[in-house]
Amino acid sequence: MTEFPQLDGFRGAPGVVRLIGHRGARGVMPENTMEGFAFTLKIGVRAMEFDVVMTRDRIPVITHNHHLLNAATRDAEGNWLTGPEPKVSKLTLAELRQFDVGGLDGRTVYGRRFPDQAFMTGLRIPRLADLLEFARRPEGSGLLLLLEMKSEPAAPGAKGDRLSIVHEVVREVRDAGLQERTILHSFDWSVLEECARVAPEMPRSYLSQLPENTDDPGEDSQKSVAPDFDALGVSIPRAVARAGGRMWCPYFKDVTADLVAEAHGLGLLVAAWTANEPEDIEAMIDAGVDGIITDYPGRAQRILLSRGLRW
Amino acid sequence: MTEFPQLDGFRGAPGVVRLIGHRGARGVMPENTMEGFAFTLKIGVRAMEFDVVMTRDRIPVITHNHHLLNAATRDAEGNWLTGPEPKVSKLTLAELRQFDVGGLDGRTVYGRRFPDQAFMTGLRIPRLADLLEFARRPEGSGLLLLLEMKSEPAAPGAKGDRLSIVHEVVREVRDAGLQERTILHSFDWSVLEECARVAPEMPRSYLSQLPENTDDPGEDSQKSVAPDFDALGVSIPRAVARAGGRMWCPYFKDVTADLVAEAHGLGLLVAAWTANEPEDIEAMIDAGVDGIITDYPGRAQRILLSRGLRW
């Protein structure tokens, strides 16, 4: 099997559990912003998990959903968005850059989930290219990208359009020369199949979440594109391995020590998302995962240290 | 009365309560570090409360206590300090710069107080001059300094030596041209008397804490130098006003709405230290303080916003 140097930054070892900043450090800094990524790297957490969506003018940008979240988005006058949430694929980059994504509306369920998140003004949705450029600069050295692609399930033209994000993203990563610091990552396993075809030089990470554990407010747009795990006929780790994946990213509530051991037996790395409460972080350590994706990287550092572990 | 422009950054107004980062943002980042100050300013909290102590070679450095805290200090090999805590005034700057102050020992009471604080490696005790230089650079513009001086109660030669910190600090602030962005601040009101004499161009802030509320673990070395508040014969705000102070900084548990109103009536600003729990931050807002000194500036921002306030 090809050896991918970036996997070393995600691989656990005796005394080591890797930490991966979720959208930067969502518990502390506005999510999916350059400021959040810079903070996370600054505190010594090198790996970032973040989300890429395509604009109308076909520019990959870093934002979580196909629709901007009203709870996290202000207009050019600083007012919270209301009404139907704008769809990223219907807006140009210039239009998206009007919005301020520097804070959460504390009146919303989503805003109340992250009561310590700093409230900043004038923060813009980054292009993928902005993060790639940062990673190439001296202050971004060491940064590793767990790059989640959001396919567009409702796009006209079905599969072709839905997978076109792969081509744009791969081109930008290659242009930046960061293929050895990037893992391609998706809930949509057909997106990852396309990655295998067009970018075999980058390892792939397969996200999963069992339907019975889908209870996070304000979360995913991607459930509908995930495989039907009950219909796979094999365990999820085995399905990931069969698909040629090198990493499995289960929802933390779906993780068991047996599944982690099975994944390791298949040569996979396991990184669980998104563990924030101390007891959940502890449970992931106990289950033997390689990496923990968290909104609170500082807290996770401290829990690891309290158990004599590093990241 | 002289008008001091820096006071505007600490003065409340309808719809505005000021936030002041305590030692930067101790809840999130290692305390009294350049990295913590930069973080706090980055999230839009301009005012920093921090502590200055003199080294053996008479260089003002930013650290909280006369002794380095074992719970927050590692040696050059990365091991936690043990045994008697080193005294800053017995060490040269070069010796102090050997220590790593990038994290807390979670096995200690003090370390457990800040479970989300990032754990960093290679952070050094800053000189006051480092922060002053940062404040003069474009990325430090807007930063305001609530500069606490720690007098040395046990110094030989008594008053003369004990107050010499004032002269060094004032000289450095003047050399940096930051007299209009600095407030001189102390528990030791005789230090502030010396400030009045040698640096009338800078306003003074008077710290207080009632003896019955001194229950923070790992905190102050300065209690012994504070006035005997019971023996003042007047309220603390009145004593601050009589001493020519422009700001009173009471411990948050000592704050009442009546005392704040009295202080305002005397022309004083009131900034309460150190409110971290949401209910304590709320109580300070309710009491009508101008400013809140907090280890969790992001959290405090969010609480203010939830009440329709800015900072």
Side-chain angles (χ1 to χ4, degrees):
Chain A
M1 224 181 299
T2 319
E3 262 329 296
F4 300 108
Q6 59 271 64
L7 293 180
D8 293 341
F10 292 86
R11 183 177 287 119
V16 174
V17 176
R18 301 299 183 177
L19 296 180
I20 302 149
H22 188 234
R23 308 183 198 170
R26 179 170 57 166
V28 181
M29 290 288 278
E31 67 181 73
N32 282 331
T33 61
M34 289 308 300
E35 291 77 4
F37 298 129
F39 167 79
T40 307
L41 185 62
K42 185 84 184 175
I43 69 167
V45 169
R46 295 169 58 198
M48 313 287 157
E49 203 263 10
F50 60 94
D51 313 277
V52 174
V53 181
M54 297 298 289
T55 65
R56 181 176 166 192
D57 43 349
R58 309 301 299 158
I59 296 171
V61 292
I62 302 178
T63 186
H64 180 249
N65 283 307
H66 291 301
H67 294 83
L68 300 181
L69 214 54
N70 285 352
T73 316
R74 283 164 281 162
D75 65 19
E77 285 73 47
N79 300 308
W80 293 111
L81 299 194
T82 55
E85 297 184 318
K87 194 166 191 183
V88 177
S89 63
K90 300 247 162 121
L91 297 168
T92 64
L93 178 67
E95 288 166 335
L96 277 169
R97 291 276 203 175
Q98 302 290 311
F99 295 112
D100 189 336
V101 293
L104 294 175
D105 183 350
R107 299 167 304 180
T108 63
V109 171
Y110 189 70
R112 283 194 293 272
R113 279 182 65 194
F114 303 103
D116 286 1
Q117 191 192 90
F119 190 89
M120 300 171 71
T121 292
L123 270 57
R124 304 298 160 199
I125 295 172
R127 297 174 305 152
L128 171 60
D130 296 322
L131 182 58
L132 295 170
E133 281 166 29
F134 173 75
R136 287 166 51 92
R137 290 205 299 268
E139 67 268 36
S141 73
L143 191 144
L144 297 171
L145 303 101
L146 183 55
L147 190 166
E148 182 176 347
M149 282 164 286
K150 301 284 187 178
S151 62
E152 177 52 86
K159 195 170 175 184
D161 280 350
R162 191 159 62 81
L163 301 182
S164 69
I165 185 172
V166 171
H167 301 258
E168 302 293 339
V169 163
V170 166
R171 190 176 52 73
E172 290 204 354
V173 174
R174 285 178 179 159
D175 285 351
L178 292 173
Q179 302 98 309
E180 298 200 340
R181 289 163 63 186
T182 302
I183 299 179
L184 300 171
H185 176 69
S186 192
F187 274 107
D188 184 339
W189 293 23
S190 66
V191 160
L192 293 169
E193 196 181 330
E194 184 74 355
C195 292
R197 203 177 62 77
V198 305
E201 81 275 26
M202 286 185 263
R204 297 182 302 284
S205 164
Y206 290 68
L207 280 154
S208 72
Q209 182 175 32
L210 297 179
E212 56 269 35
N213 282 330
T214 57
D215 56 1
D216 275 352
E219 296 297 326
D220 277 277
S221 53
Q222 288 301 92
K223 304 301 154 43
S224 59
V225 300
D228 177 351
F229 296 113
D230 288 336
L232 287 174
V234 294
S235 70
I236 301 178
R238 189 160 295 274
V240 172
R242 276 196 193 163
R246 297 303 303 272
M247 188 152 87
W248 172 42
C249 280
Y251 183 52
F252 77 94
K253 291 186 184 176
D254 303 341
V255 170
T256 66
D258 284 349
L259 284 167
V260 173
E262 183 185 359
H264 284 162
L266 293 160
L268 301 177
L269 305 185
V270 181
W273 60 280
T274 300
N276 289 336
E277 295 307 314
E279 59 270 26
D280 296 328
I281 294 169
E282 299 266 10
M284 293 304 99
I285 299 169
D286 293 336
V289 299
D290 294 274
I292 298 172
I293 299 172
T294 180
D295 291 311
Y296 293 91
R299 177 187 300 171
Q301 287 175 324
R302 300 286 301 281
I303 292 170
L304 290 182
L305 287 169
S306 74
R307 298 181 58 156
L309 301 167
R310 298 265 158 183
W311 52 92
Chain B
M1 224 181 298
T2 321
E3 262 328 299
F4 300 108
Q6 60 272 61
L7 293 179
D8 293 342
F10 292 86
R11 184 177 286 118
V16 174
V17 176
R18 301 299 183 178
L19 295 180
I20 302 149
H22 189 236
R23 309 182 197 169
R26 179 171 55 166
V28 181
M29 290 288 277
E31 66 180 74
N32 282 331
T33 60
M34 291 307 302
E35 291 76 3
F37 298 129
F39 167 78
T40 307
L41 185 62
K42 186 85 184 174
I43 68 168
V45 170
R46 297 168 59 199
M48 313 288 157
E49 203 264 10
F50 60 94
D51 313 276
V52 174
V53 181
M54 298 297 289
T55 65
R56 180 175 165 191
D57 43 349
R58 309 303 299 159
I59 296 170
V61 293
I62 302 178
T63 186
H64 179 249
N65 284 307
H66 291 301
H67 294 84
L68 299 181
L69 214 54
N70 285 352
T73 316
R74 284 164 282 162
D75 65 18
E77 283 74 47
N79 301 308
W80 294 109
L81 299 195
T82 55
E85 297 184 318
K87 194 165 191 183
V88 177
S89 64
K90 300 247 162 123
L91 297 168
T92 63
L93 178 67
E95 288 165 337
L96 277 169
R97 291 277 204 176
Q98 302 290 310
F99 296 112
D100 189 337
V101 293
L104 294 175
D105 182 350
R107 298 167 305 178
T108 64
V109 172
Y110 190 70
R112 282 193 294 271
R113 281 182 65 194
F114 304 102
D116 286 1
Q117 191 191 92
F119 191 90
M120 301 171 70
T121 293
L123 271 56
R124 303 298 159 200
I125 295 172
R127 295 174 304 151
L128 171 60
D130 296 323
L131 183 58
L132 295 170
E133 281 166 29
F134 174 74
R136 286 166 53 91
R137 290 205 298 269
E139 67 267 35
S141 73
L143 190 144
L144 297 171
L145 302 102
L146 184 54
L147 189 165
E148 181 176 346
M149 282 164 287
K150 301 283 189 180
S151 62
E152 176 53 83
K159 196 170 174 184
D161 281 348
R162 192 157 62 82
L163 302 181
S164 68
I165 184 172
V166 171
H167 301 256
E168 302 293 338
V169 164
V170 166
R171 190 176 53 72
E172 291 204 353
V173 174
R174 284 179 180 160
D175 285 352
L178 292 173
Q179 302 98 311
E180 299 200 341
R181 288 162 65 187
T182 302
I183 298 178
L184 300 172
H185 175 70
S186 192
F187 273 109
D188 184 340
W189 293 23
S190 67
V191 160
L192 293 169
E193 197 182 328
E194 184 74 354
C195 291
R197 204 176 63 78
V198 305
E201 81 275 25
M202 285 185 264
R204 298 181 302 286
S205 164
Y206 290 68
L207 280 154
S208 73
Q209 181 175 33
L210 297 179
E212 57 269 35
N213 282 330
T214 55
D215 56 0
D216 275 354
E219 296 295 329
D220 276 276
S221 51
Q222 287 302 90
K223 303 304 154 40
S224 59
V225 299
D228 177 353
F229 297 114
D230 288 336
L232 288 174
V234 294
S235 70
I236 301 179
R238 191 161 295 274
V240 172
R242 277 195 193 164
R246 298 303 304 272
M247 187 151 88
W248 173 40
C249 280
Y251 184 52
F252 76 95
K253 291 187 184 174
D254 303 341
V255 170
T256 67
D258 285 348
L259 284 168
V260 173
E262 184 187 358
H264 284 161
L266 293 161
L268 301 178
L269 304 184
V270 180
W273 60 279
T274 299
N276 289 335
E277 294 307 314
E279 59 272 24
D280 297 327
I281 294 169
E282 299 265 11
M284 293 304 98
I285 300 168
D286 292 338
V289 300
D290 293 275
I292 298 171
I293 300 172
T294 181
D295 292 311
Y296 294 90
R299 177 187 301 173
Q301 289 175 323
R302 300 288 300 283
I303 292 171
L304 291 181
L305 288 169
S306 74
R307 298 180 59 155
L309 301 168
R310 297 266 159 182
W311 52 93

